């Protein structure tokens, strides 16, 4: 995979050619300072819209790099069937890992869950850090659509948002083995905090039509449970 | 899950009762210094043999805690079908994280692969650190058998060790979709370094009867590929 650079806002090039884009901030500094790019060099850009762009550097500045788009290609590395994951985020590094791995494994949307026993309160600055992790992981793994980090919700809110015909699963002790659940064109899954969802939280989701599932015999950490569900969905 | 403590060597109690064990080092310091344990308190011990033990503290020292075993119970949180994972280990935190998650997901044995493009050379001190990570993760996830960290091997050596009737898979571009591979009572899987296995390495394994598989459309990091394979095997 060649070096990929993320550019925002989206490139609205209709036909390639002549369209100019500006790369700024860390992306520009990396290109100039680390990669020692020069005018005329070609790089790969993506903007989260699903396309990849071949672009040529036309001007190097200290704060920004100007490029012209020379080709656009639609390359999908998305899951065949979408996955929306609600997670009571763990703290610190584990949170960052979870988002990196969720991006690699193709999770479509990740919604931080605000739960009774949860520890990490997802404030806007934290969500921005996670979005930055999504971009970094996407550069590396080749995804051209960004995993979307949603606004925090309670499990009741998250459960009520899911389309009724999606497969809707809560990872919770006492549920059926997840391997018995194999229908649905779309998965919505919820993973609770270290201490688990409360009975009340689970009851509300079950009332909304969600099913409890068990992920095996070991006690998985939050991020492990979330990634195991994502891998199961991606590879089943 | 109550606080669990790892004790070595194995407890050879035949019938519970009267059998004394010593907890030393970090485990003892945690019990005394952090948990403020007292004589008479009951804790859970495991020794990697597959059993859990209820034990009562009979004597507190600065460097060691003496306990008597009062009950022994066989509790398996192992995979139904064993998984041996050969991995060209990534560096630093990613290596530690891989071993923690492999433990949680039930991997039976992990063999560090020495590959042409690999970065981390697994010396004995590093293997010991990984074994320590296995114990920490086992305390938390409830496994009573330890994931075994094997001696480093080349892919050729690893491939030759696998029983011919096991499902034997190499994660490598151009392989068949892993979802088409669903037979076998045991999985042996190999994951290469960031730059991939070389064609020569793959050819030797294929000659030994291994099959290439692809894990989807994105470029997964080493640890992500390994964990996705483990989750796939555990939950399929």
């Amino acid at each position: 995979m060649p070096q990929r650079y993320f550019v925002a806002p989206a490139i609205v090039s209709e036909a390639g050619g002549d369209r100019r884009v500006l790369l700024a901030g860390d992306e520009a500094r990396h290109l100039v300072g680390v990669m020692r790019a020069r005018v005329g060099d070609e790089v790969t850009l993506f903007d989260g819209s699903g396309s990849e762009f071949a672009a040529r550097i036309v001007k190097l500045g200290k704060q920004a790099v100007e490029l012209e788009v020379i080709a656009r290609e639609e390359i999908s590395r998305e899951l065949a069937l979408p996955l929306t994951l609600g997670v009571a985020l763990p703290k610190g590094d584990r949170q960052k890992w979870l988002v990196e791995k969720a991006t690699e494994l193709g999770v479509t949307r990740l919604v931080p869950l605000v739960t009774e026993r949860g520890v990490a309160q997802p404030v806007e600055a934290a969500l921005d850090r996670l979005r930055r992790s999504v971009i970094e992981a996407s550069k590396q793994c080749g995804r051209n659509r960004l995993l979307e980090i949603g606004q925090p919700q309670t499990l009741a809110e998250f459960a009520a948002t899911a389309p009724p015909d999606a497969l809707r699963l809560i990872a919770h002790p006492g549920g059926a083995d997840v391997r018995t659940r194999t229908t649905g064109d779309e998965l919505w899954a919820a993973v609770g905090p270290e201490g688990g969802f409360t009975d009340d939280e689970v009851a509300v989701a079950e009332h909304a039509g969600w099913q409890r599932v068990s992920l095996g015999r070991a006690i998985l950490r939050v991020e492990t449970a979330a990634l195991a569900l994502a891998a199961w969905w991606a590879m089943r």
Side-chain angles (χ1 to χ4, degrees), chain A:
Chain A
M1 174 113 354
Q3 285 280 338
R4 290 156 46 88
Y5 294 86
F6 179 73
V7 57
I11 300 173
V12 286
S13 156
E14 292 302 313
D18 215 40
R19 169 73 192 170
R20 300 287 167 103
V21 296
L22 268 188
L23 209 58
D26 287 345
E27 302 289 281
R29 276 189 290 278
H30 185 266
L31 192 52
V32 179
V34 180
M35 300 307 289
R36 307 271 173 211
R38 290 163 184 270
V39 169
D41 286 355
E42 286 186 19
V43 300
T44 302
L45 305 178
F46 71 110
D47 62 359
S49 69
S51 294
E52 260 179 42
F53 303 86
R56 188 181 293 120
I57 297 173
V58 291
K59 196 171 165 192
L60 291 171
K62 281 184 184 166
Q63 300 300 323
V65 176
E66 196 180 325
L67 306 104
E68 63 175 346
V69 173
I70 48 183
R72 171 185 201 139
E73 195 179 358
E74 188 86 15
I75 298 180
S76 171
R77 296 196 177 88
E78 303 303 301
L79 294 178
L81 306 172
L83 165 55
T84 301
L85 196 57
V87 189
L89 292 175
K91 285 201 269 193
D93 274 357
R94 292 182 185 277
Q95 185 176 111
K96 190 166 179 291
W97 275 107
L98 167 55
V99 168
E100 177 181 306
K101 299 313 173 206
T103 303
E104 290 180 65
L105 291 170
V107 173
T108 317
R109 200 156 71 90
L110 189 149
V111 176
L113 294 182
V114 181
T115 61
E116 293 184 34
R117 300 196 184 119
V119 284
Q121 288 307 323
V123 296
E124 199 52 43
L127 297 180
D128 278 344
R129 272 198 303 279
L130 296 183
R131 291 186 185 108
R132 190 71 222 163
S133 296
V134 169
I135 291 172
E136 287 307 314
S138 299
K139 286 160 74 170
Q140 187 271 324
C141 76
R143 272 183 84 175
N144 289 321
R145 287 193 187 277
L146 299 183
L147 178 158
E148 183 191 338
I149 304 280
Q151 283 301 315
Q153 293 185 311
T154 63
L155 179 60
E157 290 165 342
F158 182 66
T161 325
D165 55 345
L167 180 60
R168 293 165 296 162
L169 305 178
I170 316 170
H172 196 70
D177 189 316
V178 71
R179 290 174 290 187
T180 63
R181 298 285 172 267
T182 50
T183 56
D185 289 340
E186 180 177 354
L187 173 62
W188 283 57
V191 175
E194 210 73 18
F197 290 118
T198 64
D199 291 344
D200 284 355
E201 286 174 319
V202 172
V204 170
E206 286 188 316
H207 187 72
W210 287 57
Q211 306 169 60
R212 275 193 267 182
V213 287
S214 150
L215 303 182
R217 302 175 193 170
I219 314 293
L220 302 182
R221 284 186 184 269
V222 177
E223 68 277 10
T224 317
L227 298 174
L229 271 167
W232 169 73
W233 184 251
M235 297 168 70
R236 83 205 173 77

